[in-house]
Amino acid sequence: MNQKNFFNSQSRRNFVKKSSILAGGVLAAPVLSRANYFSGSDNTIKIALIGCGGRGTGAAVQALSTRQNVQLVAMADAFKDRLDGSLKDILDALGDKKGRVQVKEENKFTGFDAYKKAIPLADVVILTTPPGFRPIHFEEAVNQDKQIFMEKPVATDPAGIQRVLAAAEKAKAKKLNVVVGLQRRYQSSYRELMKRVHDGAIGDIISAQAWWNNDGVWVHPRQSEWTEMEYQMRNWYYFVWLCGDHITEQHIHNLDVINWAIDSYPVAAQGMGGREVRKGKDNGQIFDHHYIEFHYGNGAILNSQCRHQPGTMSKVDELLTGTKGKVYCDEARITDTNGKTIYQFDKSKENKPYQNEHDELFDAVAKGEYKFWDAERGAKSTMTSILGRLASYTGQSVEWDKAINSGLDIMPVSYDFNAAPPVVPDQNGNYPIPVPGVTKYF
């Protein structure tokens, strides 16, 4: 039944009433609870955007480009200029669909607590702030019974991972759809490859390689009127509490692919990293390269590398090696042990995964279906990246169980633009940098 017919056949209240009467197994499909039905007119899905940077703007456009009757009704960001810029970019991108933007002036919220004001106004929330804030925003959205799209990574420390895992259990119990922006899981070629891997096409996976090597990202020069907190927030990529380092913020995509293929998570990691070109005061505290060896319980070993160094070889890809063959993920090709191609995905049939993750989420929401519970695997793949970072920063072998249960919390004590961030520069303007062999966390 299509969306229009569904909502014409019975009102939201009548459907919820009938669903509660029939609770206990009469309905075969996993039907959502009362909280999952829409707050406005019967066929309108209202969304709130929490985090109005580039990724948030893109995610909002993708959500508003789905075939459902979706409206953006609220926006929240720490900074007004970023919110206003995002709104303009969203309107410009939507073209003839710009009427889907219905954000009243009173529903534009700024500051650290803006999310608390925007979330209640929506049916679906889009969480796209810097990842350090993801645990508290996800927790709030789940507590308010919202359907959720949240970008990866979902935390920057083990304490945040535990908060996300706890909220994920609540989301499951409430049958709240949660999609995490690990878009390869919504990409046709990767789905076809993984289907064959799990069916035994390359036998048992014994090793893997993963890469995210490119030039790096932007820097926003310090302004005299900014507090230290504002400076770090506007340059969030360079501070571990906000970003998690680029091994977490970007390389998580490749690590998640390997976890997906092996259908497990590493039990330990060791590796190396540092700063060779990223040395300036405007480069915060993160490394510019990491090389990590992840060990899985089945004996498989993943060698992963990520690098932000201008002028170096660019490569973003994954390779799986099994007892019967190999998978070249970017090429969408599987070979046998002699190098003969045994499967090649037709790239002309590739979808647009960034759009597809929203298409599938909003289709489920419109139909009242519970189909997506990405939060747990999103948290565990985020933890995989954190495990690698801890190994790189300390120069030690780090065990998964010890790390995830360490209680390590790197977030601020209080959220205020005049409050001190977790790290501050010394008298020369330099930030503390992890030193392998010296830095310890637990």
Side-chain angles (χ1 to χ4, degrees):
M1 182 181 293
N2 64 33
Q3 181 190 9
K4 182 177 179 181
N5 290 339
F6 175 85
F7 286 105
N8 285 342
S9 66
Q10 52 186 318
S11 72
R12 173 173 62 92
R13 286 178 181 166
N14 285 340
F15 181 82
V16 171
K17 182 177 179 181
K18 291 176 183 178
S19 298
S20 62
I21 292 171
L22 294 172
V26 176
L27 295 175
V31 178
L32 302 178
S33 67
R34 181 180 192 128
N36 303 100
Y37 285 88
F38 314 139
S39 58
S41 60
D42 280 351
N43 67 344
T44 301
I45 306 173
K46 296 183 178 181
I47 64 173
L49 175 62
I50 316 300
C52 302
R55 182 73 281 269
T57 300
V61 170
Q62 286 145 6
L64 294 167
S65 299
T66 61
R67 65 181 181 83
Q68 286 72 33
N69 184 9
V70 180
Q71 289 186 0
L72 177 65
V73 300
M75 300 175 70
D77 196 273
F79 303 109
K80 186 178 187 302
D81 62 299
R82 202 154 58 187
L83 188 154
D84 291 341
S86 175
L87 181 57
K88 179 181 182 302
D89 289 344
I90 291 169
L91 288 167
D92 289 346
L94 284 175
D96 60 1
K97 290 185 177 180
K98 65 178 58 179
R100 293 186 168 197
V101 178
Q102 298 291 325
V103 185
K104 298 177 181 177
E105 197 62 36
E106 61 266 28
N107 293 337
K108 301 175 185 177
F109 306 104
T110 58
F112 283 102
D113 64 347
Y115 71 102
K116 292 183 178 179
K117 301 170 185 176
I119 288 174
L121 303 177
D123 304 300
V124 180
V125 296
I126 297 174
L127 305 180
T128 48
T129 61
F133 296 105
R134 199 84 71 244
I136 59 176
H137 294 170
F138 178 54
E139 211 171 53
E140 182 73 13
V142 171
N143 287 341
Q144 294 199 31
D145 301 326
K146 304 303 179 181
Q147 314 288 325
I148 298 160
F149 172 85
M150 62 175 171
E151 259 305 339
K152 56 74 216 164
V154 302
T156 58
D157 58 27
I161 294 295
Q162 294 287 20
R163 289 184 76 165
V164 171
L165 288 172
E169 288 302 309
K170 289 184 181 179
K172 279 185 180 179
K174 293 181 176 185
K175 294 184 178 178
L176 301 174
N177 284 296
V178 181
V179 167
V180 173
L182 293 164
Q183 80 279 353
R184 285 163 175 77
R185 297 215 181 220
Y186 292 82
Q187 186 170 343
S188 298
S189 60
Y190 276 85
R191 284 177 166 178
E192 290 301 318
L193 290 174
M194 292 304 150
K195 184 189 303 181
R196 286 161 175 79
V197 167
H198 295 152
D199 284 345
I202 63 169
D204 297 328
I205 296 173
I206 54 178
S207 69
Q209 292 172 265
W211 302 265
W212 190 296
N213 295 335
N214 61 12
D215 287 353
V217 297
W218 41 262
V219 171
H220 298 302
R222 188 186 292 270
Q223 304 298 310
S224 60
E225 67 272 18
W226 291 351
T227 64
E228 180 61 29
M229 180 68 85
E230 180 167 355
Y231 171 75
Q232 293 192 21
M233 290 275 288
R234 289 190 180 273
N235 285 277
W236 60 271
Y237 205 100
Y238 295 94
F239 296 93
V240 180
W241 71 274
L242 284 160
C243 163
D245 205 319
H246 64 109
I247 189 173
T248 294
E249 213 288 326
Q250 287 183 313
H251 195 36
I252 182 179
H253 284 295
N254 316 103
L255 301 178
D256 180 64
V257 168
I258 307 304
N259 291 339
W260 183 11
I262 297 176
D263 196 22
S264 186
Y265 300 90
V267 296
Q270 71 86 24
M272 62 188 73
R275 287 161 64 104
E276 293 181 351
V277 300
R278 185 178 269 161
K279 295 180 177 180
K281 296 176 182 178
D282 57 355
N283 294 138
Q285 57 176 161
I286 67 172
F287 282 4
D288 60 23
H289 67 282
H290 302 261
Y291 197 106
I292 310 296
E293 179 183 280
F294 292 95
H295 292 256
Y296 289 77
N298 67 347
I301 295 176
L302 160 64
N303 286 293
S304 89
Q305 51 181 283
C306 54
R307 177 177 60 209
H308 277 181
Q309 295 174 352
T312 61
M313 179 194 75
S314 180
K315 185 178 180 69
V316 179
D317 199 358
E318 309 87 21
L319 171 67
L320 300 164
T321 300
T323 54
K324 293 168 56 179
K326 293 184 176 182
V327 179
Y328 299 85
C329 292
D330 187 57
E331 297 178 23
R333 181 166 64 97
I334 302 176
T335 69
D336 63 18
T337 54
N338 294 317
K340 179 182 177 182
T341 297
I342 57 175
Y343 173 75
Q344 175 66 63
F345 177 80
D346 182 354
K347 286 285 195 137
S348 69
K349 297 180 180 178
E350 189 72 278
N351 65 353
K352 297 178 179 178
Y354 285 100
Q355 183 60 53
N356 190 49
E357 57 194 1
H358 291 274
D359 289 345
E360 293 190 10
L361 170 62
F362 282 90
D363 182 67
V365 172
K367 292 176 179 176
E369 296 176 347
Y370 174 51
K371 294 179 66 175
F372 303 105
W373 45 88
D374 291 0
E376 180 179 343
R377 69 189 184 200
K380 289 182 177 179
S381 282
T382 301
M383 186 63 213
T384 301
S385 72
I386 294 171
L387 185 73
R389 186 186 79 218
L390 293 173
S392 180
Y393 281 4
T394 63
Q396 306 297 329
S397 178
V398 182
E399 295 178 358
W400 174 283
D401 287 344
K402 186 174 183 179
I404 197 171
N405 295 312
S406 66
L408 179 61
D409 185 342
I410 63 174
M411 296 301 290
V413 174
S414 61
Y415 296 103
D416 186 281
F417 283 116
N418 293 312
V423 294
V424 294
D426 63 19
Q427 60 184 4
N428 297 316
N430 296 307
Y431 292 91
I433 308 300
V435 179
V438 175
T439 297
K440 298 180 187 300
Y441 291 102
F442 40 79

